[in-house]
């Protein structure tokens, strides 16, 4: 018996009890007094309430993406969970509409992100949706509120219980996809640029992966400050898009040395450099800083090479890990900062302040998340692949909307085509073998024909001899 069948059988059992109950009541008819009648009514009402409550709790299901182990894209599986998440004091239940995919999620899949608990676990740091229920002590959220959510993990599912303080009201006109694309990227970009970087007019900023979610958010925020020059690394195919978005000097890091390109345009170097790469690139970034310049490192994406953990890439990154003596910092008049939003989950006041400013900028039309693509939960592997292979421009979004049956049917068709191709290839191979055998038979026949002719000739020669005799 499957788990899905269990609630139905329980419900049938309850229905049978309810059907047999009226037949049993006449056997022991209570005295016709008001207290007894009230007691009987209460006794009747209690089981009814129970029968209604139990099936409701047990039949509540929701879909969730679960990291089942560390490794490739297939390690994140779509599962059906049973039972409504229980709300604690200060929490709200959110019906999730869209989720954001971040580089940290890709690293978590390979076991390179220590803020995610060990598998099995549901990933997801940000989402958007509608409040379905509020717990005790929640006063600033109500059922029906459209919210975006920032959490340490657990948001890649259809419903999520989260602290109310981790939710932010979605402004009028913002879509659920945009709301899911905003928290991680824009809070990260804002706090690096303004809290650490102290960005001011007429300064220069180097942004790596300028076409990614953080890259686009950082560029838009740079454009809110007068005369800021933005250098951005990205593959050549993305240059037109990032230039239109505000990058002053796009650099193709795949074909050119970005350090040389920066030096050509700005010989003194950069005022602010945002480094998500790690390893040897952090050394390059530090050497590119002007006096009074700031390096803000916030990731180690150089560790990510291939679907599964690449020990060589990890070792190489750690071997080239940046370190510096305080005396060098003093003499160079430079600063090095480290930022990790995942470790700020206990500083919600700081995060809320940043988010309020970002939402005001959104309302003014100065920032707007760029959505690269939206994928169904069933397509999470393809979504991760697109991001890991650096094929996205902007944010990659997962939607909880069920995948249409037509699209589901297309997947087996692809498999069928593969099977058909295998069968066709096998038929071709078999045909080649048969043709080869036929050719061999023909060759054998050709070889046999001269022998037959020789025999005929010999027989002809023997016939006159017989006649002479």
């Amino acid at each position: 018996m499957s788990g899905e069948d269990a609630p139905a059988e329980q419900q049938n059992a309850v229905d049978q009890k309810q059907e047999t109950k009226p037949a049993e009541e006449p056997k022991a008819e209570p005295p016709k007094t008001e207290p007894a009648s009230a007691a009987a009514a209460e006794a009747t009402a209690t089981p009814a309430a129970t029968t209604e409550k139990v099936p409701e709790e047990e039949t509540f299901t929701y879909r969730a993406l679960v990291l089942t182990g560390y490794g490739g894209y297939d390690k994140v599986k779509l599962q059906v969970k049973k039972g409504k998440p229980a709300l604690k004091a200060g929490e709200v239940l959110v019906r999730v509409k869209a989720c954001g995919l971040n580089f940290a999620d890709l690293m978590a899949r390979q076991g390179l992100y220590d803020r995610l608990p060990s598998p099995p676990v549901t990933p997801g740091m940000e989402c958007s949706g509608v409040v379905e229920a509020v717990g005790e002590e929640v006063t600033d959220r109500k059922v029906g509120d459209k919210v975006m959510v920032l959490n340490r993990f657990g948001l890649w599912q259809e419903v999520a219980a989260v602290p109310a303080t981790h939710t932010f009201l979605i402004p009028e006109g913002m879509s659920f996809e945009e709301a899911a694309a905003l928290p991680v990227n824009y809070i990260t970009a804002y706090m690096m640029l303004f809290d650490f970087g102290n960005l001011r007019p007429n300064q220069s900023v180097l942004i790596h992966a300028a076409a990614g979610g953080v890259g686009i958010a950082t560029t838009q925020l740079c454009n809110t400050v007068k005369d800021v020059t933005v250098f951005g690394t990205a593959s050549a195919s993305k240059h037109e898009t990032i230039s239109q978005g505000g990058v002053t000097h796009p650099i193709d890091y795949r074909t050119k040395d970005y350090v040389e390109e920066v030096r050509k345009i700005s010989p003194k170097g950069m005022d602010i450099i945002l480094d998500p790469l790690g390893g040897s690139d952090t050394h390059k970034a530090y050497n590119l800083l002007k006096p009074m310049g700031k390096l803000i490192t916030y990731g180690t994406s150089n560790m990510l090479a291939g679907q599964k953990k690449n020990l060589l890439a990890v070792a190489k990154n750690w071997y080239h890990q940046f370190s510096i003596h305080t005396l060098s910092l003093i003499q160079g008049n430079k600063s090095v900062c480290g930022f990790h939003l995942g470790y700020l989950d206990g500083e919600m006041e700081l995060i809320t302040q940043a988010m309020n400013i970002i939402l005001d900028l959104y309302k003014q039309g100065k920032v707007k998340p760029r959505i690269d693509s939206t994928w169904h939960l069933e397509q999470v592997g393809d979504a991760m692949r697109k991001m890991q292979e650096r094929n996205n421009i902007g944010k990659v979004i997962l939607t909880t909307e069920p995948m249409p049956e037509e699209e589901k049917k297309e997947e087996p068709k692809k498999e069928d085509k593969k099977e058909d191709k295998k069968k066709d290839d096998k038929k071709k191979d078999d045909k080649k073998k048969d043709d080869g055998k036929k050719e061999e038979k023909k060759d054998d026949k050709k070889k046999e024909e001269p022998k037959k002719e020789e025999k005929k000739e010999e027989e002809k020669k023997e016939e006159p001899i017989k006649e002479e005799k």
Side-chain angles (χ1 to χ4, degrees):
M1 181 180 70
S2 67
E4 293 178 358
D5 295 332
E9 291 192 7
Q10 290 171 355
Q11 181 64 56
N12 291 339
V14 171
D15 292 341
Q16 288 173 4
K17 287 180 182 179
Q18 289 177 335
E19 287 173 6
T20 55
K21 191 169 183 179
E24 294 171 359
E25 284 178 357
K27 292 180 182 178
E29 193 169 343
K32 294 182 180 179
T33 59
E34 288 185 9
S37 299
E42 188 178 347
T44 308
T46 305
T50 306
T51 54
E52 287 177 9
K53 187 178 179 182
V54 173
E56 184 183 356
E57 288 179 354
E58 293 190 358
T59 56
F60 187 92
T61 60
Y62 59 97
R63 298 181 305 151
L65 289 171
V66 178
L67 178 65
T68 57
Y70 300 129
Y73 305 124
D74 61 338
K75 292 297 182 181
V76 182
K77 301 183 185 299
L78 183 59
Q79 298 180 359
V80 176
K81 291 188 177 182
K82 195 174 178 180
K84 203 168 193 176
L87 282 182
K88 298 176 184 176
E91 288 187 339
V92 295
L93 186 69
V94 177
R95 172 66 63 173
V96 178
K97 299 294 184 181
C99 314
L101 179 62
N102 293 287
F103 223 82
D105 298 315
L106 303 180
M107 299 191 75
R109 195 194 70 239
Q110 294 190 3
L112 297 172
Y113 184 71
D114 59 1
R115 296 302 285 163
L116 187 74
S118 300
V121 62
T122 293
M125 302 165 62
E126 61 188 343
C127 74
S128 62
V130 181
V131 175
E132 277 199 348
V134 296
E136 295 178 3
E137 300 176 14
V138 176
T139 57
D140 56 349
R141 295 289 179 268
K142 64 182 185 300
V143 174
D145 281 346
K146 294 180 180 180
V147 294
M148 59 188 81
V149 184
L150 179 68
N151 210 40
R152 191 173 142 200
F153 64 93
L155 300 182
W156 284 2
Q157 52 189 22
E158 289 182 321
V159 291
V162 297
T165 54
H166 288 217
T167 67
F168 310 93
L169 294 174
I170 297 176
E172 193 69 32
M174 181 184 283
S175 68
F176 284 118
E177 289 76 17
E178 287 178 333
L182 193 136
V184 171
N185 291 164
Y186 281 81
I187 292 172
T188 296
Y190 181 87
M191 297 185 86
M192 288 194 299
L193 278 180
F194 297 105
D195 290 331
F196 273 147
N198 190 26
L199 180 63
R200 300 189 303 279
N202 300 306
Q203 290 191 323
S204 57
V205 181
L206 172 60
I207 303 169
H208 286 291
V214 173
I216 288 175
T218 307
T219 303
Q220 291 179 0
L221 289 169
C222 284
N223 292 338
T224 65
V225 180
K226 188 178 179 183
D227 297 328
V228 171
T229 304
V230 179
F231 292 72
T233 64
S235 56
S237 61
K238 301 174 182 179
H239 283 191
E240 184 179 352
T241 302
I242 63 175
S243 296
Q244 291 172 353
V247 172
T248 319
H249 301 291
I251 302 169
D252 184 1
Y253 68 96
R254 293 184 178 180
T255 59
K256 295 179 181 178
D257 183 339
Y258 66 84
V259 174
E260 290 182 6
E261 294 302 310
V262 168
R263 289 289 186 195
K264 286 178 187 176
I265 301 165
S266 180
K268 285 188 176 182
M270 298 280 98
D271 291 299
I272 300 172
I273 298 177
L274 307 181
D275 169 40
L277 306 174
S280 59
D281 285 289
T282 309
H283 291 269
K284 293 177 183 178
Y286 182 79
N287 293 329
L288 264 178
L289 287 177
K290 286 180 181 179
M292 300 303 292
K294 303 173 187 70
L295 165 61
I296 303 150
T297 178
Y298 69 103
T300 53
S301 64
N302 283 337
M303 282 189 182
L304 206 64
Q307 277 198 54
K308 300 177 181 179
K309 184 192 289 185
N310 187 319
L311 294 177
L312 183 62
V314 173
K316 187 178 178 183
N317 190 82
W318 280 109
Y319 180 77
H320 292 290
Q321 190 71 23
F322 177 78
S323 62
I324 191 167
H325 197 279
T326 52
L327 188 60
S328 298
L329 285 173
I330 294 169
Q331 294 171 346
N333 287 294
K334 299 176 181 181
S335 66
V336 179
C337 309
F339 182 83
H340 195 308
L341 184 59
Y343 283 91
L344 281 177
D345 53 352
E347 303 294 334
M348 286 310 297
E349 287 186 16
L350 284 175
I351 290 174
T352 301
Q353 288 173 11
M355 179 61 90
N356 289 338
I357 295 170
I358 292 164
L359 292 176
D360 284 340
L361 291 171
Y362 176 85
K363 292 171 186 174
Q364 296 169 32
K366 293 182 178 179
V367 300
K368 183 180 176 64
R370 179 190 174 96
I371 309 300
D372 171 83
S373 53
T374 301
W375 305 77
H376 295 281
L377 296 181
E378 294 91 337
Q379 300 169 310
V380 63
D382 294 328
M384 289 191 293
R385 181 182 288 105
K386 179 161 192 178
M387 188 172 184
Q388 189 164 327
E389 293 177 356
R390 306 331 197 253
N391 291 326
N392 59 301
I393 301 179
K395 192 75 172 183
V396 177
I397 294 293
L398 298 172
T399 177
T400 58
E401 184 181 339
M403 194 172 181
E405 290 299 323
E406 296 78 18
E407 292 184 35
K408 286 182 182 178
K409 288 175 183 176
E410 284 179 8
E411 296 300 323
K413 283 181 183 177
K414 290 179 184 176
E415 296 299 323
D416 291 343
K417 285 179 181 178
K418 288 181 183 177
E419 290 297 323
D420 291 340
K421 191 174 182 299
K422 287 180 183 177
K423 289 177 182 177
D424 290 340
D425 291 340
K426 191 178 179 183
K427 285 180 181 178
K428 287 177 183 178
D429 291 337
D430 292 340
K431 190 178 180 183
K432 284 179 183 178
K433 289 177 183 178
D434 291 340
D435 291 342
K437 288 179 181 178
K438 287 178 181 177
E439 290 297 324
E440 287 177 7
K441 287 180 181 179
K442 285 181 182 179
D443 292 338
D444 292 340
K445 283 181 181 179
K446 286 179 182 178
K447 289 176 184 177
E448 288 174 2
E449 281 175 3
K451 290 180 181 179
K452 288 179 181 179
E453 292 295 326
E454 287 175 9
K455 284 182 180 180
K456 286 180 181 179
E457 290 296 326
E458 288 175 4
E459 288 174 359
K460 285 180 182 178
K461 288 177 183 178
E462 288 175 1
E463 281 177 3
I465 294 170
K466 287 178 182 177
E467 286 175 1
E468 288 175 3
K469 287 180 181 180

